[in-house]
Amino acid sequence: MSYKVMAACVQSCGTKSASIKPSSFHLNGSLVGGLSLSQLMVDDVWCTIQEEARTDAEEEPFLRKHYYDLVLCHATLESALSAHLASKLAVPTVLPSCALQELISSVLTKDPNIRRALRCDLRAAKGRDPACAKMAHCFLYYKGFQALQVHRVAHRLWTEGRRATALLLQSRTSEVLAVDIHPGARIGAGVLLDHATGVVIGETTVVGDDVSILHGVTLGGTGKEGGDRHPKIGDGVLLGAGTKILGNVRIGEGTKIGAGSVVLKVVPPRTTAVGNPATLVNRKENRTGHIVDHTSCSNYAN
């Protein structure tokens, strides 16, 4: 894609509504919102979000300033996300929004893995949540998405040794969004935290790609061990509402755990498990790889 084509794309994301100013873009490849032109050239997700925001603003004049401030005045997804998260987590006079925005933006700018993952998360919400009509709605209103992006920033800080700051972000996210993810937890891309209230994820948890986690899920320890003590969740897993998985147990790829289940043992790949304690009710032996089919499970609530 040429510079001029990408410029036209970004320009189109800011000029179709007369009441909204266009986003700036530099044809010489200089930084825009902290990212180079090469990082912006294939950002179809951001163009889609801006177009969806513009459509909503045109259909509902009440929302025009709201969408302009949170989406349409920003040149990049990273810029908009940093500002949006900072405004939610800020504490007046104690933890100013501008300082949080700078912190979040600095991490997003230097970590391409986070930038890729957050776009995968947005696509996951649009593709797997029947209630998500637009990626813009996920970006603006889905606290599961927002909590997950704060965690991604906190995890980067944790791995850099900035643990006090990482714990601050965890604490504020828990207070504001009712989602408690330890910054040490490792979480893959394309993850959907649906509804999200009451989700708790422990320090040594590992969550794979394309996982869907509903409200009230706990990925915790048993209280009887230290060290590596939390669950390992494979790719393509669905964890139904209220599921509790305790201890360093592995949940195989493509598995579905029914709502309210309590899991204390390893669950093989491509299996459905339900109950307290959880028992296996179905296993598809012949599949290879993971197939993300989360909306077909009866315990998926929207």
Side-chain angles (χ1 to χ4, degrees), residues 197-208:
T197 299
V199 168
V200 176
I201 300 178
E203 177 184 7
T204 60
T205 300
V206 178
V207 176

Side-chain angles (χ1 to χ4, degrees), residues 50-292:
Q50 286 207 312
E51 185 63 30
E52 291 171 345
R54 183 178 304 102
T55 299
D56 281 357
E58 289 174 349
E59 292 176 352
E60 177 50 83
F62 176 78
L63 294 174
R64 284 181 178 175
K65 185 177 187 308
H66 177 68
Y67 276 104
Y68 177 75
D69 290 346
L70 295 180
V71 177
L72 294 165
C73 74
H74 294 276
T76 68
L77 177 56
E78 288 72 19
S79 171
L81 182 63
S82 300
H84 191 30
L85 297 178
S87 68
K88 286 184 171 293
L89 301 183
V91 180
T93 74
V94 176
L95 192 61
S97 177
C98 58
L100 274 174
Q101 183 175 348
E102 183 177 352
L103 172 69
I104 295 169
S105 179
S106 68
V107 172
L108 294 178
T109 300
K110 68 185 179 183
D111 194 324
N113 291 325
I114 296 179
R115 297 198 299 272
R116 181 187 68 84
L118 77 89
R119 287 164 173 80
C120 290
D121 297 340
L122 286 162
R123 292 190 183 101
K126 180 62 172 63
R128 301 206 301 268
D129 182 355
C132 184
K134 298 180 179 181
M135 282 192 286
H137 297 168
C138 176
F139 173 82
L140 291 169
Y141 309 128
Y142 283 32
K143 69 176 185 177
F145 167 78
Q146 295 160 7
L148 184 54
Q149 306 324 308
V150 178
H151 166 73
R152 297 194 187 284
V153 172
H155 179 69
R156 173 64 187 249
L157 296 173
W158 183 265
T159 61
E160 292 178 346
R162 301 178 64 183
R163 297 197 166 190
T165 304
L167 290 170
L168 170 65
L169 292 180
Q170 175 198 4
S171 175
R172 287 297 297 149
T173 304
S174 179
E175 292 171 6
V176 174
L177 301 175
V179 178
D180 193 350
I181 308 175
H182 192 283
R186 291 180 286 158
I187 299 180
V191 172
L192 172 63
L193 300 185
D194 192 14
H195 300 288
T197 299
V199 168
V200 176
I201 300 178
E203 177 184 7
T204 60
T205 300
V206 178
V207 176
D209 297 333
D210 302 321
V211 172
S212 294
I213 300 175
L214 273 76
H215 49 286
V217 167
T218 297
L219 304 178
T222 62
K224 298 179 181 179
E225 55 188 335
D228 190 357
R229 60 198 181 278
H230 295 110
K232 308 298 179 281
I233 310 300
D235 296 341
V237 169
L238 168 62
L239 303 180
T243 294
K244 315 299 179 188
I245 305 177
L246 306 178
N248 186 7
V249 297
R250 183 169 297 278
I251 308 301
E253 67 176 27
T255 289
K256 298 179 181 181
I257 308 296
S261 298
V262 176
V263 181
L264 303 174
K265 298 180 180 179
V266 172
V267 179
R270 295 171 292 280
T271 300
T272 299
V274 298
N276 179 9
T279 58
L280 307 185
V281 297
N282 181 38
R283 186 174 184 186
K284 299 182 179 179
E285 296 282 1
N286 296 324
R287 283 191 181 176
T288 58
H290 72 272
I291 299 174
V292 181

